[in-house]
Amino acid sequence: MGLIENLKESADFIRAKRQFQPQLAVTLGSGLASFVDHVEVLERIPYAEIPHFSPPSVEGHPGQLVLAQIKDIPLLILQGRIHYYEGHSMEEVVYPTRLMAQLGAKVMVLTNASGGMDPQMKPGDFMVIEDHINLTGANPLRGPNVDALGVRFPDMTEAYDKKLCAALEESFQRQSLRVSRGVYCGVAGPNYETPAEVRYLRQIGGHAVGMSTVAEAIAARHCGMKVCAVACITNLAAGLGQGSLSHEEVKEVAQKVEMGFAQALSDWCQAVFGYTASH
Ligand code: HPA
């Protein structure tokens, strides 16, 4: 079966559970999964049950699609993403993104945990992603173009929607969280960077580095969704802070700021609801 047929089958499976018209889609990064506790959950669907979904294996990513609402705003939440470093193909990595578009989401917010490379940053800060550099060495659109999804050569001049980014920054500021804007360098992982790699990433214009988001942003733009993203700076990137890096530290810092994050994101959902592809 082809990609489009698979997406239709996955979407039919979800629609059979509940008729739902989402406009917003949210992808939650490492340690940020408890956003789900701040919304009214209508349905939790484990990835393992959804036809054609690849379940994630990484710790801190439970892996379920959540149908939810915040004050009558219907939204889809991916609680746990699929990473390239787990061994999945890029097509598998972006399958959930494409499914959210198939289910009707017009706007997508991506969240992640990242290493901060800007000298002003501190662990627990946030960075609205204004642009990215794809350093994964791969691309989810490689191979024959699926014309039913989008064009062969999608424009990425404004990959991250300016209006959505501004709303995101304001929502984080309203929660009195430290938030900046910058360029996200997406790497394949799974090892953290070397200090020499971090010096290189800074020189090419990066402000934060992480192992997700770029593929999803590319796939979401390809199929016409508006995209914005925010990184939780869980650590200073290798060589910029004290000592070594660990996934435990990343999760711990994300969990400390999770409450403010969830409130800011929920505030953002309400601020941008109604801002769809037609605008
Ligand atoms: N590098 C890459 N990915 C990350 C980091 C980092 O320092 N922190 C959290 N995810």
Side-chain angles (χ1 to χ4, degrees):
M1 263 206 319
L3 176 60
I4 296 292
E5 288 75 17
N6 288 352
L7 285 168
K8 285 199 174 123
E9 203 179 300
S10 303
D12 286 347
F13 172 83
I14 288 153
R15 287 198 195 102
K17 295 220 172 248
R18 185 180 283 263
Q19 279 305 319
F20 198 64
Q21 294 284 323
Q23 280 201 14
L24 301 181
V26 179
T27 296
L28 297 173
S30 288
L32 302 171
S34 75
F35 170 66
V36 169
D37 302 336
H38 298 253
V39 299
E40 188 189 333
V41 172
L42 304 174
E43 206 83 51
R44 292 174 195 265
I45 311 172
Y47 291 167
E49 286 181 14
I50 305 173
H52 312 295
F53 242 64
S54 316
S57 61
V58 68
E59 231 192 302
H61 297 266
Q64 53 185 2
L65 177 67
V66 180
L67 278 49
Q69 57 186 27
I70 299 178
K71 299 197 179 138
D72 293 338
I73 302 172
L75 67 157
L76 286 169
I77 306 168
L78 278 182
Q79 195 183 28
R81 54 153 63 85
I82 296 158
H83 293 87
Y84 188 52
Y85 61 71
E86 292 172 79
H88 301 289
S89 68
M90 277 295 187
E91 193 166 292
E92 288 171 319
V93 169
V94 301
Y95 190 83
T97 301
R98 287 172 164 161
L99 178 59
M100 299 211 277
Q102 179 76 29
L103 287 165
K106 302 277 189 274
V107 167
M108 165 93 152
V109 57
L110 298 160
T111 71
N112 65 45
S114 297
M117 300 192 291
D118 189 296
Q120 314 286 321
M121 286 173 173
K122 292 193 200 133
D125 283 5
F126 290 89
M127 186 189 90
V128 171
I129 299 177
E130 283 188 317
D131 205 348
H132 75 220
I133 305 177
N134 179 8
L135 295 159
T136 62
N139 193 300
L141 308 182
R142 183 169 179 270
N145 186 52
V146 182
D147 296 335
L149 289 181
V151 297
R152 170 75 294 187
F153 300 109
D155 175 51
M156 294 289 279
T157 309
E158 194 185 313
Y160 298 87
D161 186 273
K162 283 200 170 69
K163 199 168 154 185
L164 294 175
C165 283
L168 209 44
E169 192 176 17
E170 282 161 25
S171 296
F172 278 77
Q173 282 165 347
R174 270 198 290 277
Q175 294 302 321
S176 304
L177 295 165
R178 281 170 51 95
V179 60
S180 61
R181 287 170 172 237
V183 174
Y184 175 83
C185 294
V187 297
N191 61 282
Y192 291 110
E193 300 66 44
T194 64
E197 285 166 344
V198 170
R199 287 195 293 277
Y200 165 74
L201 297 176
R202 288 177 70 178
Q203 278 189 13
I204 63 170
H207 301 101
V209 53
M211 305 173 197
S212 66
T213 304
V214 293
E216 293 135 315
I218 292 169
R221 291 301 298 136
H222 179 239
C223 63
M225 280 197 274
K226 288 184 187 292
V227 176
C228 69
V230 61
C232 175
I233 306 299
T234 50
N235 56 281
L236 299 180
L240 300 178
Q242 308 285 315
S244 53
L245 305 181
S246 72
H247 188 53
E248 279 57 49
E249 176 193 355
V250 166
K251 278 191 296 181
E252 214 177 285
V253 173
Q255 272 151 18
K256 273 195 194 137
V257 290
E258 218 174 359
M259 182 70 120
F261 164 83
Q263 267 156 11
L265 201 56
S266 154
D267 182 82
W268 175 88
C269 288
Q270 293 168 64
V272 303
F273 181 61
Y275 179 54
T276 66
S278 60
H279 287 70

